[in-house]
PDB file of all heavy atoms in Angstrom:
ATOM      1  N   THR A 235     -11.646  -2.256   6.226  1.00  0.00           N
ATOM      2  CA  THR A 235     -12.829  -3.030   5.844  1.00  0.00           C
ATOM      3  C   THR A 235     -12.490  -4.315   5.091  1.00  0.00           C
ATOM      4  O   THR A 235     -13.385  -5.132   4.858  1.00  0.00           O
ATOM      5  CB  THR A 235     -13.775  -2.180   4.982  1.00  0.00           C
ATOM      6  OG1 THR A 235     -13.079  -1.717   3.825  1.00  0.00           O
ATOM      7  CG2 THR A 235     -14.304  -0.999   5.770  1.00  0.00           C
ATOM      8  N   LEU A 236     -11.230  -4.518   4.730  1.00  0.00           N
ATOM      9  CA  LEU A 236     -10.838  -5.769   4.075  1.00  0.00           C
ATOM     10  C   LEU A 236     -10.668  -6.906   5.085  1.00  0.00           C
ATOM     11  O   LEU A 236     -10.804  -8.079   4.723  1.00  0.00           O
ATOM     12  CB  LEU A 236      -9.536  -5.576   3.300  1.00  0.00           C
ATOM     13  CG  LEU A 236      -9.547  -4.509   2.208  1.00  0.00           C
ATOM     14  CD1 LEU A 236      -8.177  -4.420   1.545  1.00  0.00           C
ATOM     15  CD2 LEU A 236     -10.622  -4.808   1.168  1.00  0.00           C
ATOM     16  N   ARG A 237     -10.378  -6.593   6.323  1.00  0.00           N
ATOM     17  CA  ARG A 237     -10.114  -7.633   7.324  1.00  0.00           C
ATOM     18  C   ARG A 237     -11.351  -8.453   7.698  1.00  0.00           C
ATOM     19  O   ARG A 237     -11.263  -9.676   7.815  1.00  0.00           O
ATOM     20  CB  ARG A 237      -9.504  -7.026   8.579  1.00  0.00           C
ATOM     21  CG  ARG A 237      -8.208  -6.284   8.363  1.00  0.00           C
ATOM     22  CD  ARG A 237      -7.067  -7.212   8.060  1.00  0.00           C
ATOM     23  NE  ARG A 237      -5.840  -6.455   7.827  1.00  0.00           N
ATOM     24  CZ  ARG A 237      -4.809  -6.926   7.138  1.00  0.00           C
ATOM     25  NH1 ARG A 237      -4.857  -8.136   6.614  1.00  0.00           N
ATOM     26  NH2 ARG A 237      -3.724  -6.180   6.970  1.00  0.00           N
ATOM     27  N   PRO A 238     -12.521  -7.850   7.936  1.00  0.00           N
ATOM     28  CA  PRO A 238     -13.672  -8.656   8.370  1.00  0.00           C
ATOM     29  C   PRO A 238     -14.049  -9.773   7.406  1.00  0.00           C
ATOM     30  O   PRO A 238     -14.403 -10.869   7.844  1.00  0.00           O
ATOM     31  CB  PRO A 238     -14.800  -7.621   8.490  1.00  0.00           C
ATOM     32  CG  PRO A 238     -14.099  -6.347   8.786  1.00  0.00           C
ATOM     33  CD  PRO A 238     -12.831  -6.406   7.986  1.00  0.00           C
ATOM     34  N   ASN A 239     -13.969  -9.525   6.105  1.00  0.00           N
ATOM     35  CA  ASN A 239     -14.304 -10.580   5.147  1.00  0.00           C
ATOM     36  C   ASN A 239     -13.386 -11.786   5.317  1.00  0.00           C
ATOM     37  O   ASN A 239     -13.831 -12.939   5.304  1.00  0.00           O
ATOM     38  CB  ASN A 239     -14.192 -10.049   3.715  1.00  0.00           C
ATOM     39  CG  ASN A 239     -15.291  -9.056   3.373  1.00  0.00           C
ATOM     40  OD1 ASN A 239     -16.054  -8.647   4.244  1.00  0.00           O
ATOM     41  ND2 ASN A 239     -15.365  -8.666   2.122  1.00  0.00           N
ATOM     42  N   GLN A 240     -12.096 -11.518   5.479  1.00  0.00           N
ATOM     43  CA  GLN A 240     -11.129 -12.592   5.654  1.00  0.00           C
ATOM     44  C   GLN A 240     -11.376 -13.346   6.952  1.00  0.00           C
ATOM     45  O   GLN A 240     -11.404 -14.584   6.990  1.00  0.00           O
ATOM     46  CB  GLN A 240      -9.713 -12.025   5.636  1.00  0.00           C
ATOM     47  CG  GLN A 240      -8.624 -13.059   5.858  1.00  0.00           C
ATOM     48  CD  GLN A 240      -7.230 -12.436   5.925  1.00  0.00           C
ATOM     49  OE1 GLN A 240      -7.083 -11.218   5.831  1.00  0.00           O
ATOM     50  NE2 GLN A 240      -6.224 -13.262   6.099  1.00  0.00           N
ATOM     51  N   VAL A 241     -11.589 -12.597   8.040  1.00  0.00           N
ATOM     52  CA  VAL A 241     -11.780 -13.228   9.342  1.00  0.00           C
ATOM     53  C   VAL A 241     -13.081 -14.025   9.374  1.00  0.00           C
ATOM     54  O   VAL A 241     -13.126 -15.152   9.884  1.00  0.00           O
ATOM     55  CB  VAL A 241     -11.754 -12.170  10.459  1.00  0.00           C
ATOM     56  CG1 VAL A 241     -12.041 -12.809  11.813  1.00  0.00           C
ATOM     57  CG2 VAL A 241     -10.403 -11.468  10.496  1.00  0.00           C
ATOM     58  N   MET A 242     -14.150 -13.468   8.829  1.00  0.00           N
ATOM     59  CA  MET A 242     -15.426 -14.181   8.812  1.00  0.00           C
ATOM     60  C   MET A 242     -15.339 -15.438   7.949  1.00  0.00           C
ATOM     61  O   MET A 242     -15.892 -16.488   8.302  1.00  0.00           O
ATOM     62  CB  MET A 242     -16.538 -13.270   8.323  1.00  0.00           C
ATOM     63  CG  MET A 242     -16.966 -12.228   9.347  1.00  0.00           C
ATOM     64  SD  MET A 242     -17.597 -12.982  10.870  1.00  0.00           S
ATOM     65  CE  MET A 242     -18.139 -11.521  11.752  1.00  0.00           C
ATOM     66  N   ALA A 243     -14.651 -15.348   6.824  1.00  0.00           N
ATOM     67  CA  ALA A 243     -14.491 -16.539   5.979  1.00  0.00           C
ATOM     68  C   ALA A 243     -13.740 -17.634   6.724  1.00  0.00           C
ATOM     69  O   ALA A 243     -14.122 -18.809   6.687  1.00  0.00           O
ATOM     70  CB  ALA A 243     -13.764 -16.172   4.686  1.00  0.00           C
ATOM     71  N   GLU A 244     -12.678 -17.270   7.429  1.00  0.00           N
ATOM     72  CA  GLU A 244     -11.928 -18.252   8.218  1.00  0.00           C
ATOM     73  C   GLU A 244     -12.805 -18.832   9.332  1.00  0.00           C
ATOM     74  O   GLU A 244     -12.780 -20.037   9.606  1.00  0.00           O
ATOM     75  CB  GLU A 244     -10.675 -17.607   8.809  1.00  0.00           C
ATOM     76  CG  GLU A 244      -9.631 -17.228   7.778  1.00  0.00           C
ATOM     77  CD  GLU A 244      -8.458 -16.477   8.378  1.00  0.00           C
ATOM     78  OE1 GLU A 244      -8.496 -16.196   9.596  1.00  0.00           O
ATOM     79  OE2 GLU A 244      -7.510 -16.176   7.636  1.00  0.00           O
ATOM     80  N   GLY A 245     -13.597 -17.960   9.980  1.00  0.00           N
ATOM     81  CA  GLY A 245     -14.463 -18.425  11.052  1.00  0.00           C
ATOM     82  C   GLY A 245     -15.556 -19.352  10.554  1.00  0.00           C
ATOM     83  O   GLY A 245     -15.856 -20.374  11.184  1.00  0.00           O
ATOM     84  N   ILE A 246     -16.149 -19.018   9.413  1.00  0.00           N
ATOM     85  CA  ILE A 246     -17.184 -19.884   8.836  1.00  0.00           C
ATOM     86  C   ILE A 246     -16.592 -21.242   8.484  1.00  0.00           C
ATOM     87  O   ILE A 246     -17.172 -22.293   8.777  1.00  0.00           O
ATOM     88  CB  ILE A 246     -17.809 -19.218   7.601  1.00  0.00           C
ATOM     89  CG1 ILE A 246     -18.634 -17.996   8.029  1.00  0.00           C
ATOM     90  CG2 ILE A 246     -18.687 -20.209   6.835  1.00  0.00           C
ATOM     91  CD1 ILE A 246     -19.062 -17.114   6.870  1.00  0.00           C
ATOM     92  N   ALA A 247     -15.427 -21.235   7.850  1.00  0.00           N
ATOM     93  CA  ALA A 247     -14.780 -22.498   7.469  1.00  0.00           C
ATOM     94  C   ALA A 247     -14.461 -23.350   8.692  1.00  0.00           C
ATOM     95  O   ALA A 247     -14.484 -24.593   8.613  1.00  0.00           O
ATOM     96  CB  ALA A 247     -13.503 -22.208   6.678  1.00  0.00           C
ATOM     97  N   ALA A 248     -14.191 -22.710   9.820  1.00  0.00           N
ATOM     98  CA  ALA A 248     -13.855 -23.441  11.045  1.00  0.00           C
ATOM     99  C   ALA A 248     -15.095 -23.823  11.857  1.00  0.00           C
ATOM    100  O   ALA A 248     -14.964 -24.439  12.917  1.00  0.00           O
ATOM    101  CB  ALA A 248     -12.912 -22.605  11.905  1.00  0.00           C
ATOM    102  N   GLY A 249     -16.284 -23.426  11.377  1.00  0.00           N
ATOM    103  CA  GLY A 249     -17.508 -23.762  12.092  1.00  0.00           C
ATOM    104  C   GLY A 249     -17.812 -22.851  13.262  1.00  0.00           C
ATOM    105  O   GLY A 249     -18.605 -23.214  14.144  1.00  0.00           O
ATOM    106  N   ALA A 250     -17.223 -21.654  13.289  1.00  0.00           N
ATOM    107  CA  ALA A 250     -17.393 -20.761  14.431  1.00  0.00           C
ATOM    108  C   ALA A 250     -18.737 -20.045  14.448  1.00  0.00           C
ATOM    109  O   ALA A 250     -19.117 -19.473  15.465  1.00  0.00           O
ATOM    110  CB  ALA A 250     -16.265 -19.730  14.449  1.00  0.00           C
ATOM    111  N   ILE A 251     -19.447 -20.056  13.319  1.00  0.00           N
ATOM    112  CA  ILE A 251     -20.774 -19.431  13.245  1.00  0.00           C
ATOM    113  C   ILE A 251     -21.770 -20.540  12.950  1.00  0.00           C
ATOM    114  O   ILE A 251     -21.846 -21.054  11.825  1.00  0.00           O
ATOM    115  CB  ILE A 251     -20.818 -18.341  12.164  1.00  0.00           C
ATOM    116  CG1 ILE A 251     -19.762 -17.265  12.451  1.00  0.00           C
ATOM    117  CG2 ILE A 251     -22.211 -17.704  12.093  1.00  0.00           C
ATOM    118  CD1 ILE A 251     -19.652 -16.201  11.379  1.00  0.00           C
ATOM    119  N   ALA A 252     -22.534 -20.939  13.957  1.00  0.00           N
ATOM    120  CA  ALA A 252     -23.390 -22.127  13.858  1.00  0.00           C
ATOM    121  C   ALA A 252     -24.350 -22.041  12.691  1.00  0.00           C
ATOM    122  O   ALA A 252     -24.603 -23.049  11.993  1.00  0.00           O
ATOM    123  CB  ALA A 252     -24.159 -22.315  15.165  1.00  0.00           C
ATOM    124  N   GLU A 253     -24.906 -20.864  12.428  1.00  0.00           N
ATOM    125  CA  GLU A 253     -25.897 -20.714  11.355  1.00  0.00           C
ATOM    126  C   GLU A 253     -25.301 -20.954   9.976  1.00  0.00           C
ATOM    127  O   GLU A 253     -26.040 -21.191   9.011  1.00  0.00           O
ATOM    128  CB  GLU A 253     -26.513 -19.311  11.409  1.00  0.00           C
ATOM    129  CG  GLU A 253     -27.338 -19.033  12.653  1.00  0.00           C
ATOM    130  CD  GLU A 253     -26.501 -18.529  13.812  1.00  0.00           C
ATOM    131  OE1 GLU A 253     -25.245 -18.610  13.730  1.00  0.00           O
ATOM    132  OE2 GLU A 253     -27.091 -18.050  14.795  1.00  0.00           O
ATOM    133  N   LEU A 254     -23.976 -20.890   9.858  1.00  0.00           N
ATOM    134  CA  LEU A 254     -23.323 -21.045   8.559  1.00  0.00           C
ATOM    135  C   LEU A 254     -22.372 -22.237   8.528  1.00  0.00           C
ATOM    136  O   LEU A 254     -21.562 -22.367   7.615  1.00  0.00           O
ATOM    137  CB  LEU A 254     -22.554 -19.763   8.213  1.00  0.00           C
ATOM    138  CG  LEU A 254     -23.409 -18.489   8.129  1.00  0.00           C
ATOM    139  CD1 LEU A 254     -22.536 -17.275   7.912  1.00  0.00           C
ATOM    140  CD2 LEU A 254     -24.447 -18.615   7.020  1.00  0.00           C
ATOM    141  N   ALA A 255     -22.494 -23.123   9.501  1.00  0.00           N
ATOM    142  CA  ALA A 255     -21.612 -24.298   9.568  1.00  0.00           C
ATOM    143  C   ALA A 255     -22.165 -25.432   8.705  1.00  0.00           C
ATOM    144  O   ALA A 255     -23.345 -25.461   8.347  1.00  0.00           O
ATOM    145  CB  ALA A 255     -21.474 -24.758  11.011  1.00  0.00           C
ATOM    146  N   GLY A 256     -21.296 -26.373   8.362  1.00  0.00           N
ATOM    147  CA  GLY A 256     -21.716 -27.595   7.696  1.00  0.00           C
ATOM    148  C   GLY A 256     -21.576 -27.608   6.196  1.00  0.00           C
ATOM    149  O   GLY A 256     -21.961 -28.596   5.545  1.00  0.00           O
TER     150      GLY A 256
END
Side-chain angles (χ1 to χ4, degrees):
T235 58
L236 301 179
R237 301 289 179 203
N239 290 8
Q240 178 184 1
V241 176
M242 286 299 185
E244 292 175 357
I246 291 169
I251 302 175
E253 294 87 348
L254 300 175

